[in-house]
Amino acid sequence: MFPDIKSYQHSFFSILLPSLLMVFASILTACNNQPSPDQPLTRNGMISGSATPGTVVTAQSKAVQPIEIVADQSHVSSYANGKMSLTIITSPYAICNFIVSYGMNTPSKAFGIRPVTADAHGLANWQWQVESKALTGIWPLQVTATPINGTQTKRSISVTVNLPPLRLDTTKSILNVTSKAVATLAIVTAPSTDCIMTMSYPTHPKTFKGTTDAHGTIRWTWRVEGSTNPGTYPLIVTITTGSGEQANATFSMVVL
């Protein structure tokens, strides 16, 4: 005998229905557990959501360091064609530069004035030659520093330009002489500076001209006339800077 169809259908559905219910329950659970869409860790420079503070650092959150002058590593008093130096502390890796005009119409473009990048500690330094036409006086120098975030900071300081010194080089000068002997006057002043030396003998004044070398030295040698009487004679040296300013000093020659 064949089994009753109704009994068979009842048995089939009684087995299938619980399985289908378990499948539907699994699908609903999976849908409810889907991850939410990605959220930005920062918004407008602020940490948002559940992000851990300090995890993300934005350019806006970086502090800009003021420019500090390192006094013991800076020398900002010199003369035309002399040297100056400057060391600063600012934001690490900032692009640093400065401008100075020394009273001239345009900023100096002398060797050594150029942009530099601060190191990891924020140190930046320069050494440069003062413009040959720099005027004597106290002049402003403006330093700028542009860190990674682009926020520029500035600092103004004063630099001093003096007349060049005039110093006797005693190791190369021979100024105690007899008549008919060879005398030598050697001086040290600013590099590449025009010099005139005038010596006033009683009857034969003489003038020597020249330009100092890269070290600021110049030397004149001459023979003392046999007719020169014993005594002390002034040797007047006058220097002229690129701006036309002058300085002079007097040295003595002794004829024995």
Side-chain angles (χ1 to χ4, degrees):
M1 295 290 297
F2 291 102
D4 183 19
I5 294 178
K6 290 184 178 181
S7 298
Y8 179 81
Q9 289 176 340
H10 176 74
S11 300
F12 175 78
F13 283 107
S14 64
I15 296 173
L16 181 61
L17 184 58
S19 299
L20 291 174
L21 291 175
M22 291 179 63
V23 171
F24 284 126
S26 299
I27 293 174
L28 290 174
T29 301
C31 291
N32 290 332
N33 291 335
Q34 282 186 341
S36 59
D38 288 342
Q39 297 294 325
L41 293 178
T42 61
R43 184 179 289 110
N44 297 326
M46 301 296 293
I47 296 174
S48 64
S50 60
T52 303
T55 301
V56 175
V57 179
T58 64
Q60 292 90 337
S61 67
K62 291 185 177 180
V64 177
Q65 300 296 323
I67 297 172
E68 298 181 16
I69 308 300
V70 183
D72 60 353
Q73 297 181 36
S74 302
H75 178 68
V76 290
S77 178
S78 190
Y79 42 84
N81 285 332
K83 301 245 185 234
M84 287 190 182
S85 62
L86 176 65
T87 299
I88 65 169
I89 299 176
T90 184
S91 301
Y93 307 114
I95 305 300
C96 307
N97 203 356
F98 71 88
I99 57 173
V100 60
S101 299
Y102 312 114
M104 301 183 297
N105 293 328
T106 57
S108 174
K109 296 181 179 179
F111 179 78
I113 300 179
R114 57 183 178 83
V116 300
T117 302
D119 65 14
H121 304 288
L123 280 171
N125 58 74
W126 298 266
Q127 185 181 69
W128 70 98
Q129 187 171 21
V130 179
E131 192 85 20
S132 63
K133 295 183 179 181
L135 295 166
T136 58
I138 300 174
W139 308 107
L141 180 151
Q142 187 175 77
V143 188
T144 60
T146 306
I148 296 173
N149 67 1
T151 304
Q152 188 178 81
T153 57
K154 297 181 179 181
R155 173 76 182 269
S156 291
I157 64 171
S158 296
V159 299
T160 302
V161 178
N162 301 306
L163 285 172
L166 265 169
R167 179 174 61 84
L168 179 68
D169 187 347
T170 57
T171 64
K172 298 177 181 178
S173 296
I174 304 173
L175 297 177
N176 291 335
V177 294
T178 59
S179 61
K180 298 183 180 180
V182 173
T184 299
L185 174 66
I187 64 167
V188 180
T189 183
S192 305
T193 300
D194 293 334
C195 304
I196 296 176
M197 190 267 284
T198 302
M199 48 187 183
S200 300
Y201 286 104
T203 56
H204 300 286
K206 290 186 177 181
T207 299
F208 295 89
K209 296 181 180 181
T211 302
T212 57
D213 60 18
H215 302 287
T217 62
I218 189 170
R219 181 169 58 181
W220 295 285
T221 298
W222 67 97
R223 184 177 295 278
V224 179
E225 287 88 341
S227 60
T228 305
N229 295 323
T232 300
Y233 299 93
L235 306 175
I236 302 173
V237 178
T238 301
I239 61 172
T240 303
T241 67
S243 65
E245 297 174 284
Q246 291 186 331
N248 58 68
T250 300
F251 307 97
S252 297
M253 178 183 69
V254 177
V255 178
L256 304 173

